[in-house]
Structures are given as C-alpha cells and as structure tokens.
Amino acid sequence: MMDRRAVLIGLALTPAACIRRKPLLRSDLISAAADDAERPVLLRVSGDGEIVFSTSLSDRGHDAVRSPNKSVVTVFGRRPRRVIDQYRYRDGKHLRSTETPSNRHLYGHGLYSRDGRWLFTSENDLDYGQGVIVVRDARTLTVEHEFSSHGIGPHEMRWADNGQTLIVANGGIATHPDYGREPLNIDTMEPSLVKIDVKTGALMDRRVPAMPQSSVRHIDVLNNGETLVGLQHQDKSYGSSPLVVSADWRSTTDDDRLAPLSANVADVQALNNYTASVCCDPETGVAVVTSPRGHRVSFWDTSSRRHLRSYRLSDVAGVGFDRRAREFVISSGRGMLYRFAIPGIENGEMRKTRIESFRFDNHLTVIDT
C-alpha cells in the first residue's frame, strides 16, 4: 500500500486537468520590500494579493519572521546592517528596535524559539572574524547570551529535533563593513552546515560542500530532519557543479560531504552559480529553490533526489509554502507574486499577482493560521 508521502508525490506529477479543485483559502505573507521611491518597507499581503499594510523600515531588511503567539513580526537588517525591528502583525505598528554593537553586524536572518521566549540571530564578530549566534529576549530584544556558530558567515538557521538543536548555514565568507559586502577570503573559504546543541552551544555534526568555494547560505528542513541546501559558487569554474545539495543527519557514514541532488548540466548552468531562497513541502518532499541571477525557479523531488522542472521568472526572489492552499508562493524584485499548486508543477500552472508600486526583497514568509 502506498503511504501518504508517495500519494502526494504522485499528485505533484499528475496533470492538473485530471484533478477537481475546490475553492482555496490562501494564507497571507510578509516580506521586506521597497517602494517606488526605493524606501525600505515591510509588506503584509493577503492570500488574495491585497496589501494589508505597508510600513516603513529603518533600513533595508532581508528576512522577516512572525512570533509563535502570532502577534509580532521581526525584521532583520541585510548584511552588514545592524538593526532589528519589531512590528505588530495585525496592523504593522512599529513596536521597538535594537542595534548590534559596533563590532557586530547581522546576516539578515533569525528565528524564534519554539515557545517564543527567545530570538536567535546569526551575526559576525568583527573582532575575531567568526560567526556567533546571539540569543535575545524576544519581548525586549535584550541580549541574554551567545555561542559560536562554529564557522564564518552564519546565515539562515532552522530548528531540528523539536527545537533541541539548531541547524546553521555558515557561508564561509569573511566580510567587514569597511569593505561593504566584498568577500575577503575567497581562496581560504570554509563553508559548512552545522548542527548545534542549543543548551550548550556544542557542535554536534558538520557537513561541507564538495567544492570549497561553494558558499552555504540558505536552507530548509524536511519532516525527517534532512536539510536541503542551496549553494552559491564563488568560483565561476564551478558552473556545472551541483548547486542543490542536502544533509541526512541520520547517516552513519564517515563522509562529511553534502550530497548533491541530480540535474542535467543545462539546468544547473541556468542557475548562474547562485541560489537564494530554499523551501520544502515537508509532507511530499517537493522543494523550490530560487535563483535571482539565473532568473530561474527550480522544483526538486527530495525523495528521488532529482530535479523536476525549472521556469524562467525575472528577478525571482523569495519562496514560502502555503500549507492551507498546498501552494508554493514565490516573489520577485519586480513586484510579482506567483503561486504554484502542488498538482500543477509539471504543467507550469501558476497564479500571478502584481503588487503595484512595490518590489520584493530576497525572502518571504507565508503566515499559516
């Protein structure tokens, strides 16, 4: 008998015309964005594509997350910015801000503890050139403690093991605000994906890409704990090398390499050495990876470990998964929102909405209620 996962994967490959659809309830999303005057804003957009609010940010944002109690949205400044802002989710009212010390800067990502008490941010310690994970009181943004990211350039983070461990993408690239976003150590990069014990800060496991100049930045986690990773190749000679890889933490092999998902050379080269947002449907294992530089959104089957299909979307940016509607939601730097339903991926079916006068930044979060 086929299990639910197998059935849903089958649906992902079934022509949409063969499936009777019911009216869908779609979830809202939040995203950092910019308006026509290039001013940074936080947008909340309804599932029907209407703007719920647009509120000014103190500086350009990167990622935004909502608190577990659903009342607050926290926005993290884009590297090498230092400001964290919090807003009321209901109407976008600004609540509070904090700034990292002058010897620290953000990497644009953070997440709440499962109980909502703590806020975790990935940061750069400029004095030592090492990554740190800073733990703040989620209500006041006061720093409580910190621990090493066990690498350089920590970016996106995800929970595993029911919030007992933290998975961190260490990009491996050293930067300093004096040089903007310029990489300072391309020849000696040490990118890694690490698993950290949250209570002690101890390193539990570490995986690395096959190519040392492949930066590990953005990730997502499946129900079984496997972590999907999108790489950014700093060495352009890597153009046909895999960009979508994964770590199965249950593996007992001595090999610490991230394992590639298969795709033909043309599909890999179309991503132009660069991936951005990564998002999985935890039930089916279908995943989406965006490539702004390649103007591509690619779909992957993590169960068979293969590329499914790619589509050209100009200046594609963030991606999230709407659990209620069973749709991937994808944004662009041209103010577009695209919704791909699980049954229609192979046929290229999508629902398009233009958000006038705004363009989306790198990431978005779908708010499942």
Side-chain angles (χ1 to χ4, degrees), residues 125-201:
D125 185 333
L126 297 172
D127 293 337
Y128 296 97
Q130 294 292 317
V132 291
I133 308 302
V134 177
V135 186
R136 291 177 167 82
D137 184 308
R139 296 166 297 180
T140 66
L141 299 181
T142 302
V143 174
E144 296 294 328
H145 65 96
E146 64 183 46
F147 50 86
S148 174
S149 77
H150 301 280
I152 295 173
H155 279 68
E156 196 160 28
M157 302 175 286
R158 286 287 187 268
W159 290 117
D161 305 323
N162 294 318
Q164 299 303 306
T165 58
L166 189 66
I167 299 174
V168 180
N170 285 309
I173 300 176
T175 58
H176 193 285
D178 290 351
Y179 301 92
R181 293 168 59 84
E182 180 182 351
L184 303 177
N185 67 333
I186 292 298
D187 292 336
T188 58
M189 282 177 57
E190 293 185 1
S192 63
L193 184 73
V194 298
K195 197 172 186 180
I196 301 173
D197 186 315
V198 177
K199 290 184 178 179
T200 65

Side-chain angles (χ1 to χ4, degrees), residues 52-71:
V52 179
F53 65 70
S54 166
T55 187
S56 297
L57 293 174
S58 57
D59 206 342
R60 182 176 175 181
H62 190 66
D63 201 5
V65 296
R66 189 175 69 163
S67 61
N69 69 5
K70 305 180 181 180
S71 65

Side-chain angles (χ1 to χ4, degrees), residues 173 183 186 189 213-215 217 232-236 238:
I173 300 176
I186 292 298
M189 282 177 57
Q213 275 74 49
S214 295
S215 186
R217 302 284 187 90
Q232 298 177 2
H233 293 331
Q234 306 301 308
D235 186 330
K236 302 310 178 187
Y238 292 175

Side-chain angles (χ1 to χ4, degrees), residues 197-367:
D197 186 315
V198 177
K199 290 184 178 179
T200 65
L203 178 66
M204 300 173 64
D205 204 343
R206 180 177 182 268
R207 305 294 171 91
V208 298
M211 309 294 189
Q213 275 74 49
S214 295
S215 186
V216 177
R217 302 284 187 90
H218 299 108
I219 59 176
D220 203 5
V221 178
L222 296 166
N223 280 343
N224 64 8
E226 182 178 0
T227 304
L228 192 69
V229 181
L231 300 177
Q232 298 177 2
H233 293 331
Q234 306 301 308
D235 186 330
K236 302 310 178 187
S237 69
Y238 292 175
S240 60
S241 299
L243 280 158
V244 180
V245 296
S246 72
D248 184 352
W249 304 103
R250 302 165 300 176
S251 172
T252 58
T253 179
D254 292 332
D255 188 358
D256 65 354
R257 297 290 179 87
L258 292 164
L261 275 67
S262 65
N264 66 50
V265 170
D267 287 320
V268 173
Q269 291 177 333
L271 302 182
N272 196 17
N273 290 301
Y274 189 93
T275 67
S277 295
V278 177
C279 180
C280 303
D281 170 9
E283 286 193 52
T284 66
V286 174
V288 172
V289 178
T290 65
S291 174
R293 295 180 185 176
H295 303 285
R296 292 287 193 281
V297 55
S298 56
F299 293 84
W300 304 77
D301 179 0
T302 61
S303 60
S304 63
R305 307 191 58 76
R306 65 184 180 91
H307 175 259
L308 291 174
R309 187 74 183 269
S310 291
Y311 299 98
R312 180 177 174 83
L313 299 179
S314 294
D315 201 12
V316 64
V319 60
F321 185 67
D322 187 337
R323 294 171 186 263
R324 291 200 302 177
R326 307 297 304 165
E327 293 175 335
F328 286 102
V329 188
I330 299 165
S331 62
S332 85
R334 300 190 177 188
M336 295 298 298
L337 289 175
Y338 306 89
R339 284 179 172 266
F340 286 83
I342 286 286
I345 289 171
E346 286 286 309
N347 302 314
E349 287 192 357
M350 69 178 82
R351 181 176 183 264
K352 297 189 290 186
T353 305
R354 180 180 294 279
I355 308 301
E356 298 291 344
S357 302
F358 294 98
R359 55 184 182 80
F360 292 96
D361 219 298
N362 299 67
H363 300 283
L364 66 82
T365 300
V366 175
I367 305 300

